[in-house]
Amino acid sequence: MFSIAHLKAGLNTEFLGQEVKYLEKIGSTNDESWESFYNGAPAGSLIITDNQFEGRGRRQSKWVSIPGKSLTFSFLLLPEIPLEKLGLLPLLAGVSIVKGIKTITSLSTGLKWPNDIIISNKKMGGILIESHMEGEKLGVVVGIGLNINESENDFAEEIQKEATSLFIDSGKEYNLELILSSILNEFENLYLYNWHNIISM
């Protein structure tokens, strides 16, 4: 089972992941994040699940997680930044994932614009960013699904040629909490302090 205590031990964030809700099984972490937004949750609120069964990607595609092997999470942002900067959020999230994974595993993943995370030319993750207005308040949910410790047989046969995981690529299993805390640390640093550096990365 995912450990919130282990996650928080690796965080050095000011707001991201300071409030965490873990759900063993859920349809969509993005949907749960929107529920928290409408209920007044603070910026940085994080939803994590071991088993997402109705996750969605772009163009109505589905994203299914493998219990105990995937990282499936969403977090809430309440931006007070120029709208033109919001267009950079997919890139910011992708850079954060690539850097966060590299820090913990030494593996080099890549970002395939606009929302795929790849390793060895196969997809190992995806990003889905949504935004809603509630009155005068703008909410943004960043949803991320990453294949970490799956074996090839964990994937449906029809996607085995396109999908991969860190385990398949390296032969090693990795700590989910460490990878997630590393990604969140990278994201917050870029989001709060280094927007101007994103394009050059």
Side-chain angles (χ1 to χ4, degrees):
M1 182 182 289
F2 191 92
S3 169
I4 293 176
H6 290 164
L7 167 67
K8 289 199 168 187
L11 287 177
N12 55 29
T13 55
E14 297 175 29
F15 80 100
L16 190 52
Q18 296 304 307
E19 184 169 304
V20 183
K21 184 176 183 181
Y22 165 79
L23 296 159
E24 188 172 336
K25 185 176 183 179
I26 189 175
S28 162
T29 58
N30 269 34
D31 288 348
E32 188 70 23
S33 284
W34 283 122
E35 192 72 26
S36 70
F37 169 66
Y38 293 124
N39 288 326
S45 296
L46 176 67
I47 306 291
I48 309 167
T49 187
D50 270 333
N51 186 354
Q52 176 176 264
F53 56 91
E54 290 182 351
R56 56 187 181 275
R58 295 172 70 248
R59 298 185 298 274
Q60 275 63 59
S61 62
K62 286 198 170 185
W63 183 272
V64 179
S65 62
I66 306 300
K69 296 185 178 184
S70 305
L71 265 178
T72 312
F73 60 98
S74 299
F75 54 84
L76 175 66
L77 301 175
L78 304 174
E80 296 180 2
I81 56 177
L83 285 176
E84 60 267 19
K85 278 191 173 182
L86 289 178
L88 291 175
L89 275 176
L91 182 57
L92 190 153
V95 169
S96 302
I97 293 165
V98 169
K99 292 181 69 177
I101 289 174
K102 179 79 169 180
T103 297
I104 300 301
T105 70
S106 298
L107 296 176
S108 295
T109 56
L111 175 62
K112 182 181 178 182
W113 186 256
N115 75 324
D116 290 348
I117 307 300
I118 58 171
I119 189 167
S120 299
N121 296 313
K122 290 187 175 184
K123 182 173 179 176
M124 58 83 50
I127 304 162
L128 179 65
I129 298 178
E130 302 172 319
S131 60
H132 292 168
M133 291 293 298
E134 173 78 352
E136 296 295 312
K137 185 169 71 170
L138 172 64
V140 175
V141 167
V142 180
I144 296 172
L146 299 171
N147 300 327
I148 307 298
N149 292 323
E150 291 89 342
S151 63
E152 189 171 300
N153 291 335
D154 286 320
F155 299 122
E157 189 172 344
E158 61 265 24
I159 66 169
Q160 286 182 3
K161 290 183 178 180
E162 293 84 32
T164 191
S165 70
L166 298 186
F167 173 77
I168 292 171
D169 195 76
S170 68
K172 297 178 182 178
E173 290 192 359
Y174 296 97
N175 182 283
L176 299 179
E177 294 90 342
L178 276 178
I179 291 177
L180 179 51
S181 63
S182 182
I183 290 169
L184 296 179
N185 290 340
E186 294 286 355
F187 184 94
E188 184 178 287
N189 180 57
L190 287 172
Y191 181 76
L192 291 182
Y193 306 113
N194 288 294
W195 283 92
H196 58 284
N197 288 332
I198 297 170
I199 295 298
S200 61
M201 288 180 174

